[in-house]
Amino acid sequence: MKLLLLSLLILLPFSQAVAECLTRGTGDLGIIIERAAGSLKVIDRSAKRELFQVKGLGDLSHASAVYSRDARYAYIFGRDGGLSKVDLLCGLLVKRVVQGGNSIGGAISQDGQLIAVSNYEPGGVKIFSAETLDLVADIPATPISSKKGSKTVGLVDATDQKFVFSLFDTGEIWVVNMLTPSKPVIKKYTNIGKQPYDALISPDGRWYISGLFGEDGLAMLDLWHPEKGVRRIMDHYGKGKQKLPVYKMPHLEGWAMAGKNAFLPAVGHHEVLVVEQDSWQEQGRIKVHGQPVFVIARPDGRQVWVNFAFPNNDVIQVIDTESLTIIKTLKPGKGALHMEFSPRGEEVWISVRDRDQVQIYDTRTLEQTGSLPVDKPSGIFFTSRAHQLGL
Amino acid sequence: MFDIRLITAGICCALISLNLYAAPDIERQVELTHLLKHDCGSCHGMRLEGGLGPALKPERLASYSVEALTTTILHGRTGTPMPPWSPFLSEQEAQWVAALLKRGVAP
C-alpha cells in the first residue's frame, strides 16, 4: 500500500493533463466548430455552457465530425485535409494527421474501428484506424487528368461494415466493403447522373441517395438490393424550368423523414421537395424563402427546419410536416449555417456565424431560449450521433 | 501648341485608369472581403484553396486577366456550379475583387 501511494505521488506531477479531465458521462455533450479560428468548443448540452475550447485544428471551413462508439472522442474532418481526434472529457487534441490536400467529410465504420475521409484533392477516400489514425486503406478515385482524381462527396457508413460515396466529376457511386480492412472490396456504379454534389443514407441504412447538380432528379441505390443497380427518382422535377443561381450547395446529410415522407432541398429552386418513401413519388413542393441548404426533421418528424443559401442565410423556416405549411419564419441573423436537434427534439441549436453566437430554440414554442458566445460557429454535433448509422 | 487629339487621349486614359483603380470605400472593402472568405469560400474554401470549386490563389489565376475574372464573377460559368454575382456586386466591385484575388488575400 505504501509503495502504491509512493508511486502515485511520483506519478502525479506527470499526469496533469489526466488530472484535469472530467469524470462524467458524455451523453449530453457536443462540439461546435469555430470555422475561422480553427478551433472547436466542447459544450454541455444540459448546462448550456462551454466546457473546453480545443485549438490547432487547421482550416475548419466546411468541417464535419463523427464520434467514437463510447462518445468520448470526436473525429473532425477539416477542409485542409486534416483529420483530428479530440478527447471530449479532457478537452485535448489527441492526434492530428493531414491525410489529403482538401477534404470534405468522413464517416466511422459500423464496428467503430475505421474512419473514412473523403477528399477533393487528390480525390478519393482514405481509411484510417480509429484508435491510432494510422492509414489502413487508400482508395483513389477515377482519374480525371494525369494528376487529379474525381472529387468524392457524400461519404457515409452503411451496414455490414461498408462505406458508400459518390464521385462528383465522373458521376459514380462506389460501395466499399471493409470486412477485411487490408483488402477493401469495391463495387462501382457508373453513369449515375451528372455531378452528384452530396448524398445521404436513410437511418435504417437501406437507401443511399445522391443529389445531382448537373441535371434534375436524384440517384438512388437500394443497399438491400445492390444487384438492382442505381435508379433515378424525381427526374421529372424542375424540367423546363429556369434554374435559379445557387450561392451555396445544399446539404443532404441527415434524412428529414416524417411519417412516410422524406423532405429534401431542391437545387436551383426555392422549394423543399416532399417525396414518399418506398414509391419515391413526389407528394408536393413547399415554397420557401430561398435556396434551402439544410432540411432537417425534428427527431419525432413533426417539424422540418430549413436554412438557406446566401443571400437569404439570415432566415430559418419551420415546416409542419402534416399540413406541409410554414408555421414560423425566424430571423436569427446573417450566416445561420447549421442546426442540430437534441436527440429527443425538445430544442434545436443554431449557429449564427456573423453574430458569433449559437442560439438555442424551444421547438414547442418556437421561441429562442438562450445563446452561447462562439467565434464564427458552423457545424454543431451532439454526441447522440455516435449511435446513429450514417452520422 | 497643344494637340487636341493627345489631350483627348490623355483624358480618356485618365478616365479609364480612374475607373480601373477606383476602389470601393473601406467599409465596402471589408464587406467584400468577408463575402469572399465566407460566401465564395463555401465552394472555394475559406482560405480560397479550393473545394467543390477550384482554388483561387494568385499562382492559379496568373494566366487569367482581371477582365476575364471580372466577367466570371459577374456572370458565372455555364455548365459549372459557379453562379452570377451581378445581383450583389457592381462591375467596379467585381474588378476590385478580381484584382485582389490576383494579388492574393491574406488568410
Side-chain angles (χ1 to χ4, degrees):
Chain A
M1 188 65 196
K2 260 189 187 167
L3 200 68
L4 187 73
L5 273 174
L6 193 68
S7 57
L8 268 178
L9 279 174
I10 295 167
L11 281 172
L12 223 53
F14 299 101
S15 56
Q16 262 187 343
V18 177
E20 287 165 16
C21 297
L22 302 170
T23 310
R24 56 166 290 164
T26 59
D28 61 349
L29 300 189
I31 59 169
I32 304 173
I33 304 293
E34 296 181 307
R35 71 197 297 272
S39 53
L40 64 78
K41 289 213 152 103
V42 178
I43 52 91
D44 177 333
R45 185 162 58 74
S46 303
K48 301 185 187 4
R49 69 181 181 93
E50 173 187 338
L51 298 175
F52 301 107
Q53 186 187 40
V54 182
K55 293 181 182 172
L57 306 176
D59 180 354
L60 292 185
S61 57
H62 209 291
S64 63
V66 297
Y67 284 100
S68 62
R69 292 184 147 184
D70 60 5
R72 174 163 183 175
Y73 300 99
Y75 299 89
I76 295 96
F77 309 101
R79 197 21 143 348
D80 56 2
L83 165 62
S84 306
K85 182 176 181 178
V86 168
D87 182 335
L88 298 194
L89 288 178
C90 305
L92 281 178
L93 174 60
V94 178
K95 192 160 185 189
R96 175 173 155 81
V97 293
V98 174
Q99 56 80 43
N102 194 323
S103 75
I104 194 63
I108 185 162
S109 61
Q110 189 176 36
D111 72 356
Q113 299 296 307
L114 302 170
I115 303 288
V117 192
S118 175
N119 287 307
Y120 279 164
E121 256 184 54
V125 167
K126 283 186 181 170
I127 300 174
F128 298 85
S129 153
E131 176 69 31
T132 62
L133 302 192
D134 290 337
L135 185 68
V136 173
D138 185 2
I139 302 168
T142 308
I144 54 167
S145 72
S146 57
K147 279 188 246 165
K148 276 186 178 176
S150 176
K151 297 181 191 93
T152 47
V153 300
L155 170 65
V156 299
D157 59 294
T159 45
D160 301 331
Q161 197 65 358
K162 287 176 189 139
F163 291 113
V164 189
F165 56 93
S166 303
L167 289 78
F168 176 79
D169 303 283
T170 51
E172 300 174 65
I173 293 175
W174 289 11
V175 180
V176 181
N177 184 323
M178 290 299 293
L179 282 171
T180 312
S182 58
K183 286 198 181 100
V185 179
I186 308 168
K187 168 78 184 153
K188 300 176 183 178
Y189 298 86
T190 53
N191 296 313
I192 62 122
K194 280 185 201 151
Q195 296 174 321
Y197 62 89
D198 199 7
L200 55 75
I201 189 164
S202 56
D204 60 7
R206 177 164 183 180
W207 310 103
Y208 179 81
I209 298 181
S210 297
L212 302 174
F213 186 84
E215 56 188 299
D216 294 318
L218 304 154
M220 186 182 74
L221 180 63
D222 179 353
L223 293 169
W224 287 10
H225 294 286
E227 73 285 354
K228 289 184 180 166
V230 174
R231 74 180 226 238
R232 190 66 66 83
I233 56 168
M234 303 282 290
D235 64 345
H236 57 287
Y237 170 73
K239 277 266 154 65
K241 270 174 75 179
Q242 184 67 43
K243 275 194 179 180
L244 299 164
V246 177
Y247 292 97
K248 179 175 165 62
M249 283 287 191
H251 276 255
L252 293 176
E253 168 223 296
W255 179 257
M257 281 298 301
K260 285 198 300 182
N261 289 333
F263 292 74
L264 301 162
V267 187
H269 304 283
H270 293 178
E271 292 170 347
V272 168
L273 311 179
V274 188
V275 196
E276 187 188 48
Q277 196 181 335
D278 298 336
S279 75
W280 303 106
Q281 294 299 306
E282 184 183 320
Q283 300 300 301
R285 297 170 201 177
I286 303 161
K287 289 250 179 271
V288 289
H289 180 71
Q291 165 66 54
V293 175
F294 281 102
V295 174
I296 301 180
R298 197 171 73 173
D300 68 339
R302 183 63 204 274
Q303 297 170 354
V304 162
W305 290 53
V306 187
N307 71 344
F308 302 100
F310 174 89
N312 297 313
N313 63 14
D314 56 337
V315 165
I316 301 267
Q317 288 187 311
V318 185
I319 295 169
D320 171 51
T321 55
E322 211 171 33
S323 63
L324 304 185
T325 55
I326 291 163
I327 52 170
K328 185 90 176 183
T329 298
L330 300 164
K331 276 215 158 191
K334 270 193 188 169
L337 296 186
H338 194 234
M339 302 168 282
E340 179 85 334
F341 285 94
S342 58
R344 293 186 188 217
E346 75 283 5
E347 62 188 26
V348 61
W349 291 39
I350 299 175
S351 285
V352 190
R353 183 194 63 205
D354 291 5
R355 284 201 175 160
D356 292 316
Q357 66 177 195
V358 165
Q359 299 176 2
I360 303 165
Y361 288 80
D362 181 318
T363 65
R364 184 178 56 81
T365 61
L366 307 177
E367 298 292 337
Q368 189 183 339
T369 53
S371 71
L372 262 139
V374 184
D375 181 11
K376 299 269 175 295
S378 56
I380 306 173
F381 305 93
F382 292 154
T383 51
S384 47
R385 287 172 174 253
H387 317 292
Q388 282 173 277
L389 199 83
L391 292 182
Chain B
M1 226 170 119
F2 297 103
D3 185 331
I4 189 70
R5 284 170 304 177
L6 269 179
I7 294 172
T8 319
I11 291 170
C12 280
C13 279
L15 283 176
I16 288 166
S17 57
L18 196 69
N19 181 40
L20 273 181
Y21 294 107
D25 64 37
I26 295 294
E27 202 178 317
R28 184 62 180 153
Q29 287 185 18
V30 172
E31 276 175 23
L32 290 172
T33 310
H34 185 271
L35 180 99
L36 191 59
K37 278 189 182 173
H38 294 289
D39 295 302
C40 303
S42 71
C43 279
H44 297 281
M46 195 175 56
R47 296 178 186 178
L48 305 177
E49 284 163 357
L52 201 59
L56 302 178
K57 306 302 272 187
E59 44 288 12
R60 193 185 159 271
L61 299 179
S63 58
Y64 298 87
S65 65
V66 169
E67 291 71 31
L69 294 176
T70 303
T71 306
T72 300
I73 294 168
L74 288 175
H75 306 292
R77 279 177 75 110
T78 19
T80 79
M82 176 67 180
W85 292 82
S86 53
F88 313 105
L89 300 185
S90 70
E91 185 164 359
Q92 184 210 47
E93 289 169 346
Q95 272 171 359
W96 184 82
V97 171
L100 178 65
L101 288 173
K102 296 269 289 177
R103 284 201 306 275
V105 191

